[in-house]
Amino acid sequence: MSSIEGTGRRSYGTGSLEVRQDGRGREVWYGRWHANGRRVKRRIGPKRTPGERDGFTRAQAEAALRRLMAAEAQPEVAAARSLTVAELGESYQQHLERLGRKRTTLASVESVRRIWFDPILGDRQASAICVQDMEDLMRTMRKTGVGSKTIRNYIGTLSAMYRYARHPRRAWLPMNPCEALELPPADAHAEIRFLTLVEVEAVVSAAVEGDYHDLDRALYLTAATTGLRQGELIALQWSDVDWSAQRIRVRRNHVLGEFDTPKSRRGSRSVPMTRRLAGELDRLAQASRWTEDDDLVFGDPHTGLPLARGRLMRRYRQALVAAQLDPTTRFHDYADVFVMPTLLRRSCSGRFWGRCRRHN
């Protein structure tokens, strides 16, 4: 059985003392602390008996604990300070995986490490990187056409790696060279151009003929009137379509070949469904054989599985060309900027009202 001496709250990183009884019933001081992300426990020595000169007083046990912590940390800190940038990046990546970060986050960190950090800084000691090195890295990025916003994001990732290394539980590095860096100003945002009703209807009408025609029509209109991202559209299930409330609930995202939660906390949401869109989705349901609640609204018409994004984008660009619109318009732009209040006044088809009754 053990007893803890002193109940006052100690500051983080100072360790703790406790008294335990050994096999002979003698009281012994033990120290506990965290080092390099692991919990360490060491025997300090016997506790002094009141009125005697044997063993350690509390003050002596505290001093011994400090020495043990310093001795434990020295080789770890020395080894950590010899870490290369590539080794630090790998450790940080594993840390994110342990925290359960989203696959998109892990893929983003891995990509910037592989393309920029490892080739340019990877074999250098992380502790030797200075502000000048960071400025050289940004200059190289700029020369290859990387935009200011992307540069800021990349440097933010590198700074996060250094903050991880400098956490009190690790204290591997003496400084973060990114903190003193002057980042490029954010790119000026171009004026948003809202698609007109005529333009959206032109894209919908220009959907490529064939097996995906009905699906593409409904998908383009859903993207334009709800603002859903491509991954959210691909992950949408029929159970997410609330016919009676005329709303679409966004609960999932499809990214890197897997279903996941939306991109951010605010990603889970409910958006209104216009009458025009409700009619188009009803026509899609009538033409599809995948209409169970857990089926995908925009699943492949042959298999019911998630759409192949490459083929989806090729058909989308063909529709843009046929509608005489800019074929370089990104799908995200198309889905994110459209406002169509006049569609709210459109009436639903009779089939839609019949479907409403069936789902109520």
Side-chain angles (χ1 to χ4, degrees):
M1 181 176 181
S2 66
S3 60
I4 307 297
E5 292 243 342
T7 58
R9 185 176 180 85
R10 300 166 67 96
S11 61
Y12 184 85
T14 60
S16 63
L17 281 173
E18 66 178 37
V19 175
R20 289 181 173 272
Q21 289 185 345
D22 63 13
R24 299 180 182 180
R26 295 177 301 184
E27 292 186 312
V28 180
W29 288 107
Y30 279 85
R32 293 178 180 272
W33 68 95
H34 285 87
N36 194 27
R38 60 189 177 87
R39 193 172 185 182
V40 180
K41 176 184 175 183
R42 293 288 184 271
R43 184 182 187 277
I44 295 176
K47 180 185 177 184
R48 176 168 294 187
T49 304
E52 302 293 337
R53 301 186 60 148
D54 63 322
F56 290 85
T57 65
R58 182 174 185 84
Q60 291 171 335
E62 288 275 6
L65 174 61
R66 301 282 82 74
R67 291 193 295 270
L68 285 172
M69 291 177 65
E72 187 81 20
Q74 283 177 0
E76 291 177 350
V77 172
R81 289 191 176 183
S82 66
L83 278 176
T84 64
V85 172
E87 291 169 338
L88 173 58
E90 182 62 28
S91 179
Y92 177 64
Q93 187 98 25
Q94 294 172 0
H95 170 69
L96 294 180
E97 292 174 359
R98 289 193 296 270
L99 293 179
R101 293 292 187 261
K102 289 181 177 292
R103 291 187 67 223
T104 49
T105 300
L106 298 176
S108 176
V109 172
E110 188 278 331
S111 176
V112 68
R113 286 178 50 223
R114 172 172 44 82
I115 296 173
W116 290 105
F117 300 163
D118 289 1
I120 297 176
L121 305 172
D123 59 352
R124 296 184 56 185
Q125 289 188 2
S127 59
I129 301 299
C130 63
V131 175
Q132 182 63 50
D133 297 317
M134 297 292 96
E135 291 175 345
D136 291 342
L137 175 62
M138 291 195 303
R139 192 176 299 111
T140 301
M141 291 179 178
R142 178 66 76 182
K143 287 181 179 179
T144 59
V146 179
S148 296
K149 183 179 184 298
T150 303
I151 291 176
R152 294 170 68 93
N153 291 341
Y154 289 170
I155 297 301
T157 299
L158 188 58
S159 183
M161 288 167 48
Y162 272 87
R163 288 197 301 273
Y164 160 76
R166 285 174 50 76
H167 189 280
R169 292 182 112 178
R170 288 170 285 274
W172 292 345
L173 301 175
M175 63 170 291
N176 179 354
C178 302
E179 292 178 350
L181 198 61
E182 292 186 8
L183 296 174
D187 295 319
H189 294 288
E191 182 179 354
I192 295 177
R193 175 184 175 273
F194 291 92
L195 297 179
T196 66
L197 172 61
V198 173
E199 289 172 330
V200 171
E201 289 290 358
V203 176
V204 172
S205 300
V208 177
E209 294 292 338
D211 295 340
Y212 295 86
H213 177 263
D214 293 336
L215 182 146
D216 286 344
R217 280 181 56 94
L219 187 143
Y220 298 158
L221 189 61
T222 305
T225 58
T226 64
L228 267 65
R229 297 173 181 270
Q230 189 179 99
E232 294 169 341
L233 290 164
I234 292 176
L236 200 65
Q237 295 175 297
W238 284 112
S239 59
D240 298 322
V241 181
D242 190 333
W243 300 95
S244 58
Q246 295 190 40
R247 300 191 71 85
I248 293 177
R249 294 181 173 84
V250 184
R251 298 181 294 185
R252 302 194 307 168
N253 190 24
H254 188 265
V255 62
L256 299 178
E258 293 185 0
F259 293 104
D260 201 348
T261 55
K263 186 175 181 180
S264 65
R265 290 182 180 179
R266 295 182 180 180
S268 297
R269 61 199 186 279
S270 171
V271 297
M273 177 171 57
T274 67
R275 292 184 177 183
R276 168 77 170 85
L277 174 59
E280 196 67 46
L281 289 177
D282 180 58
R283 282 187 284 276
L284 175 63
Q286 295 293 331
S288 174
R289 59 192 178 101
W290 310 99
T291 57
E292 298 297 326
D293 283 349
D294 58 352
D295 285 333
L296 297 174
V297 175
F298 302 113
D300 188 286
H302 300 292
T303 65
L305 298 176
L307 289 172
R309 294 198 185 211
R311 295 175 183 175
L312 166 62
M313 291 306 297
R314 283 195 291 273
R315 296 194 305 273
Y316 167 65
R317 293 192 182 96
Q318 291 177 35
L320 288 173
V321 172
Q324 298 183 347
L325 295 174
D326 183 1
T328 64
T329 301
R330 298 180 306 169
F331 191 92
H332 180 71
D333 294 337
Y334 172 83
D336 214 30
V337 303
F338 181 65
V339 175
M340 189 162 50
T342 56
L343 287 187
L344 292 171
R345 298 192 293 270
R346 292 283 187 93
S347 61
C348 299
S349 67
R351 284 184 300 173
F352 164 63
W353 285 116
R355 185 174 178 81
C356 285
R357 290 191 292 271
R358 290 197 301 274
H359 280 262
N360 284 343

